[in-house]
């Protein structure tokens, strides 16, 4: 079973700062997801990555398959970015490849 | 607006009682999922359903039951056999089971918080 580790567990930033959240995993995967859980509890999918880099607005996600590592970057952070960011990985193609293994999340607080 | 609706948002239960959490989606998705979230832990899969009248156990199905009589509905019953039911429960859906493999499109509800008194 894949072990998914996120760092840091908690992160406090000043508005406008550049933020990086890291995710590492122990076993090869077919894809990695970044999710955002807002304070009310609902979850939104941000990205799915199998290689390289994706960008959406101020969010950038990168993955290095060889190093088993992904990063989520937030540029020009804003208080509305305050949330828990969750990394999840999907095993290689085949039976059970839809089953995600989730990290414990990184709680981000952005202070005005 | 299309989305997933979970109810109730908060639920209190006495020990020994069964409770049912509702999950309804109007996204016309075939696949639906139930996850459990505990403090300091990652989400864990309880049950999933690929299509109406079909469902499969996930990693932590013991003490839970589900049904999928309609495409849009996937209720979860937390039975008295579940030893530690206090948790946050999230329902999710995707167009098909395989869609999350291709596009990553997985949609979540707002969750239901169950507390056993």
């Amino acid at each position: 079973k894949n072990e998914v580790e996120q760092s840091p567990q908690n992160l406090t930033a000043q508005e406008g700062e550049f933020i990086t959240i890291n995710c590492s995993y122990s076993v090869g995967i077919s894809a990695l997801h970044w999710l955002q859980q807002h304070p009310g509890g609902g979850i939104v999918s941000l990205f799915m990555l199998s290689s390289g880099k994706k960008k959406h607005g101020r969010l950038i996600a990168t993955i290095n398959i060889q190093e088993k590592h992904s990063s989520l970057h937030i540029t020009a952070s804003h208080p509305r970015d305050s949330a828990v960011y969750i990394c999840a990985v999907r095993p290689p193609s085949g039976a059970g490849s839809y089953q995600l293994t989730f990290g414990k999340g990184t709680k981000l607080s952005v202070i005005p | 607006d299309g989305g997933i609706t979970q109810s109730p948002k908060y639920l209190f239960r006495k020990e020994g009682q069964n409770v049912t959490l509702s999950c309804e989606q109007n996204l016309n998705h075939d696949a639906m999922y139930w996850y459990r979230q505990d403090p300091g832990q990652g989400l864990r899969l309880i049950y999933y359903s690929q299509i109406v009248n079909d469902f499969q156990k996930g990693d932590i199905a013991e003490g839970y039951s589900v049904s999928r009589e309609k495409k849009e509905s996937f209720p979860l019953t937390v039975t008295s056999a579940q030893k530690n039911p206090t948790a946050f429960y999230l329902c999710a859906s995707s167009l098909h089971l395989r869609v999350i493999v291709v596009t990553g499109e997985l949609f979540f509800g707002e969750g239901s918080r169950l507390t056993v008194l």
Side-chain angles (χ1 to χ4, degrees), chain A residues 22-44:
Chain A
N22 297 298
C23 175
S24 60
Y25 50 93
S26 58
V27 179
I29 62 171
S30 57
L32 181 143
H33 298 252
W34 280 104
L35 310 166
Q36 179 193 53
Q37 184 169 32
H38 61 71
I43 292 178
V44 175

Side-chain angles (χ1 to χ4, degrees), chain A residues 2 4-6 22-25 29-35 46-51 54 61-65 68-72 86-91 100-101, chain B residues 100-101 104:
Chain A
N2 221 327
V4 179
E5 297 289 336
Q6 289 187 234
N22 297 298
C23 175
S24 60
Y25 50 93
I29 62 171
S30 57
L32 181 143
H33 298 252
W34 280 104
L35 310 166
L46 298 175
F47 297 104
M48 188 194 75
L49 292 166
S50 54
S51 64
K54 284 191 177 179
T62 64
I63 188 168
N64 185 317
I65 294 291
K68 297 185 177 64
H69 181 268
S70 175
S71 293
L72 176 68
I86 300 170
C87 167
V89 299
R90 178 158 47 80
L100 300 175
T101 300
Chain B
I100 65 169
V101 174

Side-chain angles (χ1 to χ4, degrees), chain A residues 1 30-31 33 35 37-38 40-45 47-48 54 84 86 90 93-94 97-105, chain B residues 9 33 35 37 40-45 48 57-59 88 90 97-98 100-111:
Chain A
K1 188 170 171 70
S30 57
H33 298 252
L35 310 166
Q37 184 169 32
H38 61 71
I43 292 178
V44 175
S45 288
F47 297 104
M48 188 194 75
K54 284 191 177 179
V84 175
I86 300 170
R90 178 158 47 80
S93 300
S97 60
Y98 52 85
Q99 286 218 22
L100 300 175
T101 300
F102 293 81
K104 296 178 182 178
Chain B
K9 193 164 177 64
Y33 317 80
Y35 292 96
Q37 187 177 37
Q41 293 194 38
L43 274 71
R44 292 181 289 169
L45 183 64
Y48 65 96
K57 293 181 179 180
D59 297 323
F88 189 60
L90 283 152
L97 197 63
R98 294 284 300 172
I100 65 169
V101 174
V102 175
T103 68
E105 292 282 16
L106 187 61
F107 295 82
F108 286 85
E110 293 292 307

